[in-house]
Amino acid sequence: QVQLVESGGGLVQPGGSLRLSCAASTSIFSIYNMGWYRQPPGKQRELVAGLTSGGSTNYADSVKGRFTISRDNAKNTVYLQMNSLKPEDTAVYYCNIAFRLLGAYWGQGTQVTVSS
């Protein structure tokens, strides 16, 4: 069983930045892909940013140019750097990692609130 532990969420003013972390309990060297999703209040979960094993990235149109997904294999951690945050970025953010041999797992979620 793989555990993904997220951190870095919180309350930030519009225009501010946060960096979310997703630490895996096992090596992330061998994965299919990984992604960050978010679920705003009363809405469905949506993909925010994705990163493939080959290094390709994709972003939701609403966050392009503001968010960056990255990984640190040595720390078994995936990051989401969020800049120029807007109130509409308020949501619970989840990481998802699909491992080649272990299957796909979700983090527990971390709340991001953008408000003045």
Side-chain angles (χ1 to χ4, degrees):
Q1 186 77 6
V2 177
Q3 290 186 326
L4 305 181
V5 179
E6 299 164 9
S7 60
L11 174 64
V12 64
Q13 292 186 341
S17 298
L18 286 174
R19 187 177 77 159
L20 305 184
S21 299
C22 174
S25 60
T26 189
S27 171
I28 64 169
F29 181 78
S30 182
I31 58 103
Y32 281 120
N33 52 55
M34 56 185 67
W36 284 95
Y37 294 72
R38 68 186 180 188
Q39 187 164 15
K43 297 184 178 181
Q44 291 187 333
R45 194 174 298 188
E46 61 180 2
L47 177 67
V48 175
L51 175 62
T52 69
S53 58
S56 298
T57 58
N58 63 287
Y59 297 92
D61 288 343
S62 58
V63 307
K64 282 180 181 177
R66 300 188 297 122
F67 289 12
T68 303
I69 186 172
S70 63
R71 63 192 284 185
D72 186 333
N73 289 345
K75 296 182 178 180
N76 296 329
T77 300
V78 182
Y79 301 100
L80 184 68
Q81 177 67 44
M82 306 186 295
N83 299 327
S84 302
L85 283 161
K86 305 175 180 180
E88 51 264 43
D89 295 318
T90 295
V92 179
Y93 284 72
Y94 300 88
C95 66
N96 178 275
I97 300 179
F99 297 87
R100 290 191 182 277
L101 299 178
L102 302 174
Y105 293 85
W106 290 92
Q108 82 283 2
T110 185
Q111 176 70 47
V112 172
T113 302
V114 184
S115 175
S116 55

